[in-house]
Amino acid sequence: MRTQVGIVGAGPAGLMLAHLLHLAGIESVVLENRGREYVEKRVRAGVLEHPTVELLRETGLGERLDAQGLPHHGFALRFDGVDHRVALTDLTGREITVYGQQEVVKDLIAARLGAGLAIEFEVTDVSVHDFTSSRPRISYVDAAGVAQTLECDIIAGCDGFHGICRPAVASELSFYERAYPFAWLGVLARAAPSHEELIYTYHDRGFALHSMRSPEITRLYLQVPPDESLDGWSDDRIWDELSARLSADGFTLTTGPILEKSVTPMRSFVVEPMRHGRLFLAGDAAHIVPPTGAKGMNLAIADVRVLASAASAFLREGRTDLLDAYSDTCLRRVWRAEHFSWWMTSMLHRDPAGDPFDHRLQLSQLRYTASSTAALTSLAENYVGLPFGAPS
């Protein structure tokens, strides 16, 4: 087979790249080792930055987003049992939208299939070849068990942290990473949100986050040790701990059946460069951020926006300047998001190895941030997302 861009991975990065390329008149093939049902039900991030929302609307993907997404004009920093509102729209003129990653994936899949373009689900034995030449190849076994070879001009590695593309060029990359001494125990519950906005809570017992996915579904998180087992967390224990950490005057936590539970270790991870030859890494294949800053999916979308423009200039005009600049362009935004996510994480989580001095420093940072218009503005403009192309 032959195409212009071979895309490994049908998450938000790979699917959005394919969508942008299609709008630019560029052919692509998307390969995914999971089935469609799994991909569409995989619960991940839920906060869309303002630039991400604008891009989805501009590219014809705004109908369900506008009907079902929940615009948020602020969120609460809760500490000392008191809420301090970060007024996102008042401070920046922009807002975020709560709309699950799996919903974005559904919209992208529907758009691609609706345009008569295929996605190769349930492929196996994927490997990339000859990416330092002008004729890179992807070999794989399709869902019917038939070995295939896909020749292309560019390979996009959008296959996540555990994918095959980054390991194929690992010897050519520099790795930067940090592991955190805690994880998030996340639950999805059939319960109406207890507050109209997100609540980021700093508590003596550890961090907690109140979020939502719809008017009927709540998403909640607890800080736990990185090796925590779910076996010790009954539904009752989870609700009791959430109630303790989220406690505040006038606040009542709404409870309900817990639909899903998971423990997610927290890490920061970046590789440089995000390109080797004709192989380009995007999204989680190139970088991971702690979820505290809500940047993961938004960074993936930002990456492929840059890559789609660069690929289009190369394939339609023969220009190589944007491809050559791809890694540096993306990494400026990546490192800004890494810093913001690290800062939010460090300010809000209790380090189990910390001491009373650390605790007082965190409270000082929280109190300053909540009382300073300049600090709140900096937090808000990073949280809603810097405009595409803005200096970082």
Side-chain angles (χ1 to χ4, degrees):
M1 292 191 297
R2 179 86 177 90
T3 193
Q4 291 175 291
V5 181
I7 301 173
V8 184
L15 291 169
M16 189 67 191
L17 176 59
H19 182 65
L20 293 172
L21 292 172
H22 171 64
L23 295 178
I26 304 296
E27 295 178 352
S28 65
V29 171
V30 181
L31 306 175
E32 169 59 46
N33 67 341
R34 301 282 192 169
R36 178 180 178 181
E37 182 179 9
Y38 177 91
V39 170
E40 291 187 336
K41 289 184 177 180
R42 184 167 44 192
V43 176
R44 292 291 188 270
V47 172
L48 302 184
E49 292 178 349
H50 185 75
T52 300
V53 171
E54 287 189 319
L55 181 63
L56 292 171
R57 289 173 177 155
E58 290 167 3
T59 56
L61 299 169
E63 184 175 353
R64 278 205 324 132
L65 167 65
D66 289 331
Q68 300 178 22
L70 305 175
H72 283 234
H73 301 283
F75 67 86
L77 285 176
R78 180 174 291 178
F79 57 94
D80 294 334
V82 177
D83 281 351
H84 305 266
R85 187 168 187 265
V86 181
L88 299 173
T89 304
D90 291 346
L91 292 163
T92 69
R94 304 189 298 278
E95 71 282 333
I96 55 98
T97 300
V98 173
Y99 189 65
Q101 175 174 312
Q102 73 274 21
E103 303 304 325
V104 175
V105 167
K106 289 176 188 175
D107 294 341
L108 285 162
I109 289 175
R112 185 163 181 84
L113 299 182
L117 303 170
I119 302 170
E120 294 255 10
F121 289 108
E122 299 182 330
V123 303
T124 58
D125 297 330
V126 181
S127 57
V128 292
H129 312 272
D130 299 334
F131 40 79
T132 57
S133 75
S134 62
R135 307 293 285 185
R137 298 178 294 114
I138 307 174
S139 62
Y140 65 98
V141 176
D142 66 21
V146 178
Q148 303 283 0
T149 298
L150 177 66
E151 295 183 353
C152 45
D153 297 295
I154 291 171
I155 298 174
C158 305
D159 50 342
F161 185 76
H162 299 289
I164 59 94
C165 288
R166 187 184 66 249
V169 292
S171 63
E172 306 298 326
L173 306 176
S174 296
F175 292 74
Y176 304 88
E177 54 190 315
R178 173 164 297 174
Y180 295 85
F182 33 75
W184 275 12
L185 192 165
V187 300
L188 198 68
R190 185 174 289 114
S194 309
H195 193 272
E196 64 272 15
E197 295 180 335
L198 280 69
I199 307 169
Y200 286 80
T201 303
Y202 178 83
H203 193 274
D204 288 349
R205 299 167 70 102
F207 170 80
L209 171 61
H210 166 278
S211 183
M212 66 284 292
R213 289 295 179 268
S214 75
E216 299 81 29
I217 301 294
T218 307
R219 185 75 163 152
L220 303 125
Y221 299 93
L222 290 166
Q223 175 187 340
V224 296
D227 57 353
E228 191 78 354
S229 170
L230 286 173
D231 294 343
W233 287 91
S234 65
D235 290 6
D236 287 344
R237 184 188 175 193
I238 289 172
W239 287 121
D240 288 345
E241 191 63 25
L242 284 165
S243 296
R245 297 191 196 183
L246 291 168
S247 61
D249 289 344
F251 177 81
T252 301
L253 180 64
T254 305
T255 64
I258 292 180
L259 308 175
E260 294 184 16
K261 304 177 190 178
S262 62
V263 173
T264 304
M266 298 180 71
R267 67 170 73 92
S268 297
F269 175 85
V270 182
V271 296
E272 295 186 8
M274 292 169 56
R275 170 204 184 170
H276 183 62
R278 295 284 184 92
L279 173 60
F280 295 81
L281 303 176
D284 286 0
H287 43 73
I288 298 286
V289 291
T292 325
K295 295 300 171 199
M297 175 173 57
N298 294 289
L299 275 182
I301 297 296
D303 286 348
V304 297
R305 176 184 172 275
V306 175
L307 183 53
S309 295
S312 178
F314 173 64
L315 295 168
R316 295 173 65 89
E317 305 169 38
R319 291 171 50 194
T320 61
D321 56 320
L322 296 182
L323 285 180
D324 292 339
Y326 167 74
S327 183
D328 288 342
T329 301
C330 291
L331 284 168
R332 284 195 292 271
R333 191 180 191 91
V334 168
W335 280 113
R336 173 87 297 273
E338 290 284 355
H339 182 272
F340 177 69
S341 300
W342 164 84
W343 177 77
M344 286 279 284
T345 301
S346 302
M347 180 173 65
L348 289 164
H349 291 72
R350 293 299 300 269
D351 187 338
D355 57 26
F357 187 85
D358 296 318
H359 172 54
R360 292 297 181 183
L361 289 177
Q362 288 176 296
L363 285 174
S364 175
Q365 180 65 64
L366 284 162
R367 289 166 182 159
Y368 168 71
T369 300
S371 62
S372 165
T373 300
L376 283 171
T377 301
S378 177
L379 191 164
E381 70 177 7
N382 279 275
Y383 195 83
V384 300
L386 298 175
F388 291 133
S392 50

